[in-house]
Amino acid sequence: MLTISRLAAYAGVTVRAVRHYHRIGLLPEPERDRSGYRAYDAGAVVRLIRIRTLADAGVPLARVQELLDAGPEEFAGGVEKIDKDLRAEIRRLQDARSRLARLAAGEHLALPESVVDYLDRLRGLGVEERYIAMERDAWIMIAAQVPHLIDSLIAKKHEELDDPDMVKLYSLLNGALDWPADDPRIVGVADIVERLMIRAVEAGEVGADDGTDDQFVDLLDSTMAESSPGAKRLVAILEERGWRGWTRIERVPADRLNTELPPS
């Protein structure tokens, strides 16, 4: 007869594991001898080795009991089901590893691939990282608010980057976060923004339902306006000209649509 420590040694497990198997009912707990010690036989060694073998193969302990007591066909079916579950878990873990690898790049956190590609295009235009970080944070909120629209919105942003005025706007915005409110370059930025707004009106892109509520639009607008003194001044200039809104143009100044603005 064997002590618990000798049983554990023969089966290649720890005494703590043996006690755990007792608690969950996988290994019957024998009667104690006159000295108060548990005495195990060869059958306990064999069962414990089978438990260890199944556990080492990846079988969840909750499933070990049914396999230990199963006949050949039931055992084969049970192993096949466990293998299917393990394959699914492996795929889930591989997906998780892929997401973690993408997160290492920073911008993939809460952002779809299409937005990351767009931000990379801005980098290619020489846009500074501080401004890209602002756009990234805005897109994170947009992607969470209207995920079903994100690809179409990004496709439109790519189209806009084919406009020389938009490219010039981004070139002017480099360093703009440090501009004081009275920097004369802000007027030039306002001229470009207004030209882009007028084109949006003429193309019928103003006033359409973009899927976002007013409070969310206000949040995006206030985030932009509060990003720098120059941004507040830019918004003020556009409001003086009759334009209101940044994320969504809410009021169109009809008298400005045919206004000759400075060329790009």
Side-chain angles (χ1 to χ4, degrees):
M1 304 300 286
L2 304 173
T3 63
I4 190 170
S5 59
R6 183 60 63 184
L7 169 71
Y10 283 165
V13 300
T14 65
V15 170
R16 182 178 181 181
V18 175
R19 289 174 175 151
H20 178 63
Y21 296 151
H22 284 329
R23 284 195 299 272
I24 64 177
L26 281 180
L27 184 67
E29 190 171 355
E31 298 293 333
R32 295 178 182 270
D33 60 20
R34 294 179 179 179
S35 301
Y37 294 102
R38 297 184 183 93
Y40 300 88
D41 58 15
V45 176
V46 172
R47 185 174 180 86
L48 186 54
I49 290 174
R50 295 181 68 196
I51 292 171
R52 187 208 68 198
T53 302
L54 289 170
D56 288 349
V59 177
L61 290 181
R63 306 286 300 277
V64 167
Q65 181 72 56
E66 63 183 85
L67 292 182
L68 286 174
D69 299 334
E73 291 186 5
E74 291 176 322
F75 184 87
V79 168
E80 183 178 352
K81 175 62 168 62
I82 292 170
D83 182 61
K84 181 179 179 181
D85 293 342
L86 286 175
R87 290 198 303 270
E89 179 64 9
I90 288 170
R91 287 193 296 271
R92 186 190 69 78
L93 292 173
Q94 288 173 335
D95 289 343
R97 289 193 65 205
S98 296
R99 288 194 296 272
L100 285 172
R102 292 196 299 270
L103 290 179
E107 283 163 0
H108 286 83
L109 180 61
L111 278 180
E113 190 69 32
S114 59
V115 178
V116 176
D117 290 343
Y118 172 71
L119 296 177
D120 285 340
R121 187 175 176 186
L122 293 185
R123 288 190 179 91
L125 294 175
V127 178
E128 67 173 338
E129 285 297 325
R130 284 194 302 164
Y131 186 85
I132 289 176
M134 287 177 51
E135 285 232 5
R136 177 201 64 212
D137 291 349
W139 283 111
I140 287 175
M141 292 188 287
I142 294 170
Q145 180 76 8
V146 285
H148 57 291
L149 296 178
I150 198 70
D151 286 340
S152 61
L153 291 173
I154 284 295
K156 177 60 181 173
K157 295 297 289 186
H158 277 292
E159 289 179 12
E160 291 174 353
L161 286 180
D162 294 330
D163 188 325
D165 262 343
M166 184 62 76
V167 174
K168 184 175 182 180
L169 175 62
Y170 274 114
S171 69
L172 286 175
L173 290 176
N174 269 336
L177 296 177
D178 299 321
W179 292 355
D182 59 353
D183 192 299
R185 289 172 291 184
I186 297 174
V187 175
V189 171
D191 291 338
I192 294 176
V193 172
E194 186 169 16
R195 280 198 297 271
L196 293 170
M197 285 180 167
I198 289 174
R199 288 175 198 158
V201 172
E202 293 172 342
E205 297 168 354
V206 172
D209 183 8
D210 57 7
T212 55
D213 59 49
D214 292 343
Q215 188 174 14
F216 182 65
V217 170
D218 289 342
L219 173 63
L220 292 176
D221 283 0
S222 63
T223 300
M224 177 273 174
E226 294 169 5
S227 62
S228 70
K232 289 183 179 180
R233 177 58 182 146
L234 172 60
V235 171
I237 292 173
L238 292 171
E239 288 183 350
E240 289 168 3
R241 297 180 181 183
W243 300 93
R244 188 178 65 187
W246 181 263
T247 305
R248 178 199 298 152
I249 302 172
E250 298 177 353
R251 180 164 56 89
V252 179
D255 60 326
R256 297 211 39 102
L257 295 185
N258 297 317
T259 301
E260 287 294 330
L261 295 174
S264 58

